[in-house]
Each structure stands twice: as C-alpha cells, then as structure tokens.
Amino acid sequence: MSKISAAITAVGSYVPDYVLTNQILETMVETNDEWITTRTGIKERRILKEEGKGTSFLAINAAKNLIDKSGLNPEEIELVIVATATPDMKAAATAAFTASEIGATNAFAFDLEAACSSFLYGMSVAARYIESGKYTKVLLIGADKNSSMINYEDRATCIIFGDGAGAVLFEPDQEGYGVQDEILRSDGSGREFLQATYGGSSYPSTVEAIKEGKHYVFQDGKTVFKNAVFNMADVSERIMRRNNLTNEDINWLVPHQANQRIIDATANRIDLDPSKVMVNIYKYGNTTSATLPLLLADYEDQLKKGDKLIFAAFGGGFTWGSIYLTWAYTSKE
C-alpha cells in the first residue's frame, strides 16, 4: 500500500466588502499613502464593520465558498480547524460554531492559535490527521478579524492589519502530492514585542485598562521586522536544502503577508524570481492567520498539478516556520 500524504484538494476565501484605503487612513492618523506604501507595500485592507459579526462570520463564508466551488458535502467533513488569533469569544471555540453553521454535523472542531503562523501550524496538524489514515476530509480555515484589536489612532499598527479568511480542504493522496516536509519553530522570549496584553488570563480586562487602550495590539516594529526577515528566510532556505531543491525547482513561494520588504528578503534569500512569489499584501494588508490561504485562493487559477510550493510564516510569540508542499490539482478553466 502506498504511503498516504495530505494534499490540498479545494480552496475558498472571503473578505469583507468595506475597503480601508491609505487615503482614508490619512484622515484618521498622521500618515500618508507614500509613507505606507514605501514601508509596507500596502495600499488597502478589508474591514468587517458590521456589529456583532466576528471571526466566525469570516470563517463561515470562506468555508461556504470552498463548499460551493468544490461541490463538497459538508456532512462528509470529519474535522474543522480554525486557525485564528481573534476568536469570537473566550472558552467557546470559534471552530465549533463554524462547523455547525456550515452543516459539518459529523465533524469535531477546535481552534489553533499561533499568531500569524496559525495557518502554517494548522497545515501541519491537518496533515497529521490525514496521514494517520483515520480521517479523509479535514477543513482548515485561517480567519482573523484584526480590526477588533487595533487602535485606529496608532499609526504603527492600524496601517498594517486587515480582516479576512481563507479555507483549504485536506484529503489523502497516494500519488506523492501534498505536504512533503516542514520546519516549525517558536521562541517565547519574543512575546513582549508583539501582543495584546490585556484581555488574557495574566491581565484580565479592566475598565482602567480599556480606557488606556491596553487591550489593543502593541508591536515593536523594528524588533519584529528584524526577526521576521531572518527567520522566514532562514527556514525557507533550510527546507529547500534539506529536500535538495534549487530555485529552479520551486514554482511558488507562499509567504506570510506582513510587509513587502520581508517578502522580498525571503525571496532574495532563496534566489527566487519575483514572478514566482505570491503577493496580495497591497490589497488586503496583513490578515494574520488568513494570509496564506488567501494567497492560494488568489493564485489558484495559476497553480498546476505537481507544482512545488514553499510556505513561510512568522508571527507573534515568536512563532515561525516553513512547509514544502506539492500541489495536487490543476484548476478547471
């Protein structure tokens, strides 16, 4: 019997309708389009503005998009993983609600949180369930409503983040397609440089903390940038070397969309032509857990069966890693 690997067989996505452009941000904080574009590569980002709608709304719509496109029967889904840094609520899993709302009545579900690396780690988890031979359909969703924890008077963070969701279906493959290798890492000493302090168990929310804005995201931009540039590029190079891959072998780099300069540095480290680098940061900003699946959704029509993809991400915590995957299908015209 051939070895079972975990292949991506379907992709879906969803972004909110409201577009927050750099020009609009100019009216909100002291910044301008040229400054934002030069330093981040971002032109606009999507924001979920409707009251009472959270990350699950994004996740549900991305999953429904995948189901509609692929013709998947949601009752056949056995596991739903929602990779997110912004769950709807504490204690109640966003994934459980998402699964119920999409009709995945036979699935169990859980959330996975590793900041911007959440979806990448989720790929590893989903692959293990498939490779075990016990599960045949695992739905992995990356979704974040970052606007729920952003201070729109803080120009260091409000220019970067957006809301969105992407979904992929993992199924068994015996032809050698799917997840081939991974390098995943973390360093907890970095958590002070990118986090939202208040609202967790160490520092529960208080009236005073909220008035002072301590529940919003804080980022030490220079430290995060330096670590992201080094670590994303390092693991991408290492996974290629470990699998005897050259830049000619790689069809696509699928990098986390935090900053265009980080994306460029990662591509340069592995000497990859810019035409092989997936990029959509200019229209979505940093959607944290959703960046990787949104890239797959945007580039799905260009992907061909057998294409070699290198995924790379870096997030708060610090968390980072790289996954090597071969694409399992060519999209229908």
Side-chain angles (χ1 to χ4, degrees), residues 1-5 7 171-177:
M1 184 176 178
S2 301
K3 178 185 176 183
I4 297 173
S5 57
E171 295 186 277
D173 183 277
Q174 295 185 333
E175 297 182 70
Y177 300 107

Side-chain angles (χ1 to χ4, degrees), residues 16-319:
D17 293 332
Y18 180 77
V19 180
L20 178 59
T21 65
N22 290 348
Q23 287 73 25
I24 295 174
L25 279 172
E26 289 177 2
T27 69
M28 300 167 62
V29 293
E30 187 179 344
T31 190
N32 60 73
D33 174 67
E34 182 183 5
W35 192 91
I36 297 171
T37 303
T38 301
R39 286 161 178 78
T40 69
I42 302 169
K43 283 290 188 180
E44 57 190 44
R45 63 291 290 151
R46 300 297 185 97
I47 304 297
L48 181 59
K49 296 179 74 70
E50 292 88 342
E51 186 176 352
K53 292 182 178 179
T55 293
S56 64
F57 177 81
L58 303 169
I60 290 164
N61 278 281
K64 286 182 175 178
N65 179 244
L66 181 150
I67 290 167
D68 290 343
K69 284 169 54 182
S70 65
L72 173 68
N73 179 355
E75 294 181 359
E76 295 179 355
I77 300 170
E78 297 156 299
L79 167 60
V80 175
I81 304 171
V82 173
T84 184
T86 55
D88 284 3
M89 307 171 179
K90 294 183 177 68
T94 300
F97 181 69
T98 298
S100 295
E101 291 297 298
I102 64 173
T105 54
N106 295 310
F108 72 103
F110 60 84
D111 297 351
L112 190 156
E113 199 278 307
C116 295
S117 302
S118 297
F119 186 84
L120 188 80
Y121 284 18
M123 291 176 66
S124 174
V125 173
R128 299 298 89 77
Y129 276 101
I130 293 294
E131 291 165 358
S132 74
K134 295 181 179 180
Y135 301 89
T136 60
K137 287 179 171 57
V138 176
L139 182 64
L140 171 63
I141 307 168
D144 270 308
K145 184 183 176 182
N146 290 305
S147 59
S148 65
M149 57 178 183
I150 296 299
N151 178 0
Y152 284 92
E153 295 180 356
D154 175 17
R155 69 174 184 174
T157 56
C158 73
I159 66 170
I160 298 171
F161 295 96
D163 303 336
V168 302
L169 180 68
F170 276 96
E171 295 186 277
D173 183 277
Q174 295 185 333
E175 297 182 70
Y177 300 107
V179 174
Q180 306 295 316
D181 196 11
E182 64 183 40
I183 298 175
L184 305 177
R185 295 289 183 267
S186 62
D187 179 4
S189 66
R191 75 174 184 169
E192 65 182 280
F193 301 111
L194 176 55
Q195 37 75 20
T197 304
Y198 278 77
S201 58
S202 294
Y203 298 93
S205 296
T206 63
V207 173
E208 292 76 16
I210 292 174
K211 284 182 178 179
E212 295 174 17
K214 292 182 178 179
H215 60 300
Y216 291 127
V217 165
F218 163 79
Q219 175 173 275
D220 180 336
K222 290 183 178 179
T223 301
V224 173
F225 179 84
K226 180 177 68 174
N227 279 274
V229 166
F230 175 80
N231 287 308
M232 273 182 60
D234 178 62
V235 288
S236 298
E237 183 182 44
R238 286 172 57 196
I239 204 164
M240 286 178 60
R241 189 167 61 243
R242 193 160 82 179
N243 289 276
N244 299 312
L245 298 169
T246 69
N247 60 341
E248 295 296 324
D249 297 320
I250 300 303
N251 298 99
W252 295 101
L253 174 67
V254 191
H256 173 51
Q257 307 286 290
N259 185 298
Q260 185 64 52
R261 292 183 293 168
I262 298 173
I263 296 168
D264 293 342
T266 303
N268 290 336
R269 178 73 170 269
I270 59 178
D271 195 25
L272 201 64
D273 188 276
S275 65
K276 293 184 173 184
V277 183
M278 293 187 183
V279 178
N280 61 14
I281 190 173
Y282 58 93
K283 61 179 179 178
Y284 298 141
N286 182 354
T287 55
T288 57
S289 307
T291 62
L292 300 183
L294 280 175
L295 284 173
L296 294 179
D298 280 358
Y299 283 81
E300 185 183 14
D301 290 345
Q302 300 182 52
L303 290 166
K304 295 179 176 59
K305 188 173 184 178
D307 278 357
K308 294 178 172 61
L309 280 60
I310 298 293
F311 292 78
F314 181 90
F318 288 136
T319 59

